[in-house]
Amino acid sequence: MKLEANIPAGPLAQKWSKYRFDSKLVSPANKRRYKVVVVGAGLAGASAAATLAELGYDVENFVFHDSPRRAHSIAAQGGINAAKNYQNDGDSVRRLFYDTIKGGDFRAREANVYRLAEVSVSIIDQCVAQGVPFAREYGGLLDNRSFGGAQVSRTFYARGQTGQQLLLGAYSALARQAGLGAVKCHTHAEMLDLVVVDGHAKGIIVRNLISGELTRHAADAVVLATGGYGNVFNLSTYARGSNATAIWRAYKRGACFANPCFTQIHPTCIPVSGDYQSKLTLMSESLRNDGRIWVPKQAGDKRPPQDIPEGERDYYLERMYPSFGNLAPRDISSRAAKRVCDEGRGVGESGRGVYLDFAEAIQRLGEATIRERYGNLFAIYKEITDENAYRSPMRIFPAVHYTMGGLWVDYSLMSNLPGLFVLGEANFSDHGANRLGASALMQGLADGYFVLPATIAGYLASQKPDQRPRPDHDAFRQAEEQVRGSVRRLLASQGQRTVASFHKELGQLLWDHCGMARNAAGLKQALDRIPALREEFWRNVRVPGDAEELNQSLERAGRVADFLELAELLCLDALTREESCGGHFREEHQYPDGEAKRDDQNFAFVSAWEYQGPDRPPVLQREPLGYEEVKMTTRSYK
């Protein structure tokens, strides 16, 4: 297989306009004859389904929640980037593009990132038109704040609820199209397989999570917007329902999985407090605008923070990265927190925490201003920890938050499997080895509102309208029977261990050996242990209940079964990539000062893994990364 990125020729700034002009179109009269299935209803899925329906396509939308409003996009807090330059502080499309490329440690595709920066300016206008209540300055203009990895203020926000407000905007657009009959919405519907006919994605197999019924849904194209796979680590900032099943089943049908080891650790999460926890909670990166991060200078200093004088505090990010300070990118800030904790200077009972202190900001700006900017985040912190962050510093520590890897897509967001399009966090395309804060919402809405609606026509124009396979086609029948077989196998196991116990063990294994730092010995140990754990899962898991009913144990068992396979690919990718870049930190490859050491000569490529079958190792395909407008330089935020 040779991966073709299909990037348009010509100058970088003209590639997107050239692509749109050269692309084939579908006439308005023919659009209603094409059916598109969209799986997922977060920012990428809801915006894509609504926009495709507005264009005239016949759209069906599937979400496993009871409402699209429960999609995990709602949990995003801090903001959304856009190169509007409202602050007149030197921002531009090109600067946003460069910050994103640099932030991803030069492991993202240049053309996709430039398009993202270019489209960003339209996203804000779209959302304002929908009524999204962005924060405004006194004069009425939209306000901006800074985020990690940037020296300009380009992040639009709605207090600490930006994801919620943006999702409500996209949901309102989706609900309008559903009301008009242009979108058929399916809730409590989980995709369990992709149907491929003659090498093209032509439908999905879906399980109704209430009744257990399996149904077949044919389409001219399939769009996956199902989020990331960070819950493979068990403890993460993701909602517990977030999973990798849709993209993993597509991978096993022939779609390449790209850069699985590029997982993001967020530096600003509430620390783990016990093994009883089911998830972790994010404290928005926006807090680092006004909060200062520090630990005691002396190892083992367990005094309360208010008893530690200024001279005995180490504001280590400000010391190590003076140009960016507390707004250093997430991967760098996370590793720095780990480093000071490893030195014995961590805070809290576990010693795995650092302080995020607002005392100076409250003295400078007043408590009312801090409360106005971050009040709901402080309330969340109080609810979870029973601590008042207006009076004493927050305690934070890095945690799994996002995945930059995902299904491989070309410039049009189509996978190597024709007819399968992948949006948002489910694809790999825009963030390289590290995502900058406030760029996830930007990518999701860019893909759904602006990119996919312009690119999907190129594929559909090559397909005859009304000629898609029927749901009684042999490929649909076979796919459904395979799903039934997997369900029967899970229910037939009458073992002694719960699904949760396997997930917990897998997550700890990954965190220990493929978390913030990786090394060859640990990765090989994980690769030895994961297949044995997977074998034990199928032999000893206990899944109560039946298939033809609401059965959350069965749902979770299927998802953990997929995680047990994905985890092996994640570790294999991390072992194969003999360099450090962004969130992928191989301990063998670092500079004397502890910074990541890239190997551009040997690893400037996208790792795209091709499935070969259950008993054969995957094949690594490489998409070389070349840059026309930027140079691969050693990334520095000092």
Side-chain angles (χ1 to χ4, degrees), residues 234-260:
N234 185 40
L235 282 183
S236 74
T237 66
Y238 288 70
R240 286 302 296 176
S242 299
N243 64 86
T245 289
I247 58 174
W248 189 249
R249 306 290 170 90
Y251 162 72
K252 294 174 77 171
R253 289 293 182 185
C256 287
F257 206 116
N259 297 337

Side-chain angles (χ1 to χ4, degrees), residues 304-366:
Q306 58 269 24
D307 293 344
I308 301 177
E310 277 290 312
E312 298 179 31
R313 299 179 180 186
D314 180 13
Y315 294 92
Y316 59 89
L317 288 178
E318 298 173 28
R319 170 176 57 82
M320 297 165 66
Y321 306 101
S323 294
F324 285 76
N326 296 297
L327 287 173
R330 292 174 175 180
D331 59 322
I332 288 173
S333 300
S334 294
R335 284 197 295 274
K338 180 179 185 298
R339 194 181 312 165
V340 296
C341 290
D342 288 346
E343 293 169 359
R345 297 193 286 142
V347 304
E349 291 183 9
S350 68
R352 310 307 287 177
V354 300
Y355 287 129
L356 179 59
D357 195 339
F358 291 86
E360 187 273 338
I362 290 174
Q363 183 178 11
R364 173 169 47 88
L365 301 170

Side-chain angles (χ1 to χ4, degrees), residues 552-600:
Q552 292 185 322
S553 294
L554 178 60
E555 293 171 34
R556 292 165 185 158
R559 296 166 187 170
V560 171
D562 292 331
F563 284 144
L564 283 162
E565 296 177 353
L566 169 58
E568 188 171 4
L569 184 66
L570 197 158
C571 291
L572 177 62
D573 188 46
L575 183 63
T576 303
R577 188 171 283 276
E578 289 274 2
E579 65 166 352
S580 291
C581 57
H584 169 65
F585 189 77
R586 284 287 298 271
E587 293 175 338
E588 305 94 328
H589 305 287
Q590 56 181 300
Y591 291 103
D593 62 357
E595 298 297 325
K597 187 176 183 180
R598 289 198 327 265
D599 182 351
D600 294 335

Side-chain angles (χ1 to χ4, degrees), residues 497-634:
R497 289 187 61 178
T498 64
V499 173
S501 73
F502 282 101
H503 195 182
K504 184 175 179 179
E505 183 174 347
L506 175 68
Q508 190 64 53
L509 184 68
L510 281 182
W511 180 251
D512 289 343
H513 300 302
C514 200
M516 267 194 284
R518 301 103 185 253
N519 59 59
L523 290 168
K524 289 175 182 176
Q525 184 177 339
L527 287 168
D528 285 339
R529 176 58 187 145
I530 291 169
L533 184 63
R534 187 167 62 242
E535 187 276 331
E536 184 187 354
F537 172 86
W538 285 106
R539 174 175 47 82
N540 196 32
V541 71
R542 185 171 186 86
V543 183
D546 297 316
E548 288 76 32
E549 63 180 2
L550 173 65
N551 189 339
Q552 292 185 322
S553 294
L554 178 60
E555 293 171 34
R556 292 165 185 158
R559 296 166 187 170
V560 171
D562 292 331
F563 284 144
L564 283 162
E565 296 177 353
L566 169 58
E568 188 171 4
L569 184 66
L570 197 158
C571 291
L572 177 62
D573 188 46
L575 183 63
T576 303
R577 188 171 283 276
E578 289 274 2
E579 65 166 352
S580 291
C581 57
H584 169 65
F585 189 77
R586 284 287 298 271
E587 293 175 338
E588 305 94 328
H589 305 287
Q590 56 181 300
Y591 291 103
D593 62 357
E595 298 297 325
K597 187 176 183 180
R598 289 198 327 265
D599 182 351
D600 294 335
Q601 182 175 350
N602 295 303
F603 292 97
F605 60 77
V606 176
S607 300
W609 295 91
E610 183 184 1
Y611 184 69
Q612 299 294 300
D615 300 317
R616 299 174 61 190
V619 172
L620 175 60
Q621 307 291 346
R622 296 173 174 84
E623 179 201 333
L625 290 171
Y627 294 98
E628 302 173 14
E629 298 285 333
V630 298
K631 291 183 179 180
M632 293 187 189
T633 58
T634 299

Side-chain angles (χ1 to χ4, degrees), residues 11 19 34 56 189 193 196 212 249 262 285 393 425 450-451 457 463 485 495 554 638:
Y19 176 93
Y34 289 101
D193 210 347
V196 179
R249 306 290 170 90
F262 286 173
E285 183 174 311
E425 192 179 356
F450 299 104
V451 180
Q463 307 295 299
L554 178 60
K638 295 183 176 182

